[in-house]
Amino acid sequence: MDIREYNTKSLPYHFVLFYNMPENTMAMYRGLFSGKADDNAVLTYCYLDSMCGLSYKVICCAKLYDNETIEFDVPEHLTNGMTIREGGLECEALLFDEGGIMSRFQKEADSIKENYGYYAESLKEDEDVPFAAFRHVAYPNDIQVYFFKKNQGYEEMWVREHERRPDGTVIGTLLNEPYDQSMEVHEGDSVKVFPYDPGDGNIVPVAVLSWMEELKEGGFHENI
């Protein structure tokens, strides 16, 4: 799964293994962290920086096999010298809890939390705040919103909240440019977001697009 598809609240204080990145980028990490020629992944620890937001400390290079077995290429002396900020590495990623196969790196994780702080309260969801589970962990006014296409499929994009309405909707500004240029919205547009239950009881934020107005009442779920 691409790192951009993860809920940001699930990332801090977890180990994140980045892989399937461009070869020239992977070659840079192999050179900086004494990786082997066949290493194809980079192990990091994700944390919250009080000044810079979501951040990743590089721990070592690794080899990720097709069966998701991982062989870590640990240098003789581990350092916490390189930081990747959010958006600095956009590729596929795997998420790991502390402990288990990551127990060998617990000292590094503890050191990062000691040096940069442990903001566990930022991961909690306020039930009184609309779409709390979909808000950015470091930028709580930013909501990860579903933009459904008329001909099936969707994109997840960030909307910065400006107004909350009594009916549960939110008005905000779109922060991304859609990958699909046929969509009717663009970066900087004002967007209305409404709460939608896809049928499992979990309320998700969905952008109101003009084509939805053409649907008959009760037909929305069938069309997405």
Side-chain angles (χ1 to χ4, degrees):
M1 187 161 107
D2 191 288
I3 189 64
R4 289 163 288 188
E5 297 178 44
Y6 281 93
N7 184 310
T8 59
K9 289 188 176 181
S10 69
L11 294 171
Y13 313 114
H14 287 84
F15 291 93
V16 180
L17 185 77
F18 289 96
Y19 66 103
N20 274 357
M21 67 189 75
E23 172 54 31
N24 61 334
T25 303
M26 187 64 234
M28 177 193 72
Y29 286 110
R30 286 195 293 261
L32 290 174
F33 292 90
S34 303
K36 296 178 182 176
D38 59 349
D39 283 343
N40 59 2
V42 175
L43 179 65
T44 70
Y45 185 78
C46 183
Y47 66 101
L48 282 175
D49 187 301
S50 60
M51 298 295 292
C52 302
L54 207 58
S55 303
Y56 304 83
K57 281 291 185 183
V58 177
I59 295 176
C60 64
C61 293
K63 173 71 177 293
L64 176 65
Y65 293 88
D66 290 340
N67 62 359
E68 295 195 355
T69 299
I70 307 168
E71 182 179 306
F72 298 107
D73 194 5
V74 184
E76 184 177 352
H77 299 289
L78 285 173
T79 66
N80 289 330
M82 184 174 186
T83 302
I84 303 171
R85 302 300 182 191
E86 184 177 15
L89 190 53
E90 296 181 337
C91 60
E92 292 184 80
L94 295 174
L95 198 64
F96 297 91
D97 293 333
E98 295 182 13
I101 63 171
M102 296 298 166
S103 295
R104 63 190 298 186
F105 303 113
Q106 191 60 49
K107 181 178 178 181
E108 285 67 39
D110 292 341
S111 175
I112 291 167
K113 285 185 282 190
E114 181 179 351
N115 291 335
Y116 295 94
Y118 178 48
Y119 303 102
E121 67 279 1
S122 298
L123 309 182
K124 297 178 181 178
E125 297 173 9
D126 187 343
E127 294 182 357
D128 296 327
V129 176
F131 313 122
F134 295 87
R135 290 177 180 268
H136 194 287
V137 66
Y139 309 102
N141 286 333
D142 295 353
I143 306 169
Q144 195 169 27
V145 176
Y146 290 90
F147 286 74
F148 286 97
K149 304 175 184 180
K150 188 173 183 178
N151 298 317
Q152 296 187 334
Y154 65 89
E155 289 190 29
E156 294 179 51
M157 293 185 282
W158 291 99
V159 172
R160 180 157 296 162
E161 176 192 76
H162 295 303
E163 178 187 351
R164 297 179 192 175
R165 295 183 174 176
D167 63 356
T169 60
V170 165
I171 306 299
T173 301
L174 180 60
L175 300 180
N176 308 111
E177 183 65 24
Y179 289 114
D180 185 347
Q181 290 298 300
S182 68
M183 294 186 74
E184 62 187 64
V185 292
H186 298 281
E187 180 181 358
D189 285 354
S190 179
V191 176
K192 181 179 180 181
V193 181
F194 76 98
Y196 176 68
D197 182 351
D200 58 5
N202 294 314
I203 303 300
V204 300
V206 173
V208 178
L209 303 177
S210 62
W211 67 265
M212 296 176 180
E213 299 174 2
E214 304 171 5
L215 300 179
K216 295 180 180 179
E217 184 177 354
F220 178 66
H221 179 70
E222 297 176 2
N223 282 269
I224 63 174

